[in-house]
Amino acid sequence: QVQLVESGGALVQAGDSLTLSCAASGGTFSRVLMSWFRQAPGKEREFVAAITWTSDSTYYANSVQGRFIISRDNAKNTVALRMNSLKPEDTAVYYCAGRYSMSSATLMVPLHYQFWGQGTQVTVSS
């Protein structure tokens, strides 16, 4: 079992940058595909980005492509999400999630993830 704890959420202004971190413990982190999801009030949880075990592949939602960067450090059991050029529509609770499956077919489906953090709030003011 992998436990995940997010940090780094904040209130920022549009155009700012922010980095979220997710610390993992337990399990075999280096064999876990890691992703970030977000959920805005009244909306469903949506996929943001994912990174494979060895960081050889990354995936992004169209809405964040070119602005967000996902990375991981298997030696430190951490995954990060660098968010640039933030927009008010990026406001949400951000969750890190993990699973052992490397299948890209279900990357964007929350139900296919086994491990979840408690979330960290990101608010972008205009």
Side-chain angles (χ1 to χ4, degrees):
Q1 191 76 2
V2 176
Q3 290 80 45
L4 303 173
V5 179
E6 303 95 334
S7 61
L11 169 63
V12 298
Q13 293 190 337
D16 285 352
S17 296
L18 189 66
T19 298
L20 304 182
S21 296
C22 176
S25 60
T28 307
F29 179 76
S30 60
R31 291 293 181 264
V32 177
L33 179 145
M34 293 298 299
S35 295
W36 287 93
F37 285 78
R38 66 187 182 186
Q39 188 166 17
K43 295 187 177 181
E44 293 188 352
R45 193 166 297 190
E46 66 172 359
F47 171 81
V48 175
I51 188 167
T52 54
W53 300 342
T54 57
S55 305
D56 60 336
S57 294
T58 56
Y59 306 86
Y60 296 94
N62 290 338
S63 58
V64 307
Q65 180 77 47
R67 297 189 298 124
F68 290 12
I69 300 171
I70 188 171
S71 61
R72 68 189 293 164
D73 186 336
N74 287 343
K76 296 181 179 179
N77 285 4
T78 59
V79 62
L81 184 69
R82 175 66 175 179
M83 305 185 292
N84 299 313
S85 302
L86 281 162
K87 305 175 182 180
E89 51 263 44
D90 293 319
T91 295
V93 177
Y94 283 71
Y95 299 90
C96 68
R99 67 183 202 185
Y100 289 118
S101 170
M102 288 294 120
S103 171
S104 61
T106 56
L107 270 178
M108 300 184 182
V109 182
L111 285 176
H112 286 268
Y113 285 78
Q114 299 157 265
F115 315 115
W116 288 90
Q118 82 291 346
T120 186
Q121 177 70 47
V122 173
T123 303
V124 184
S125 67
S126 55

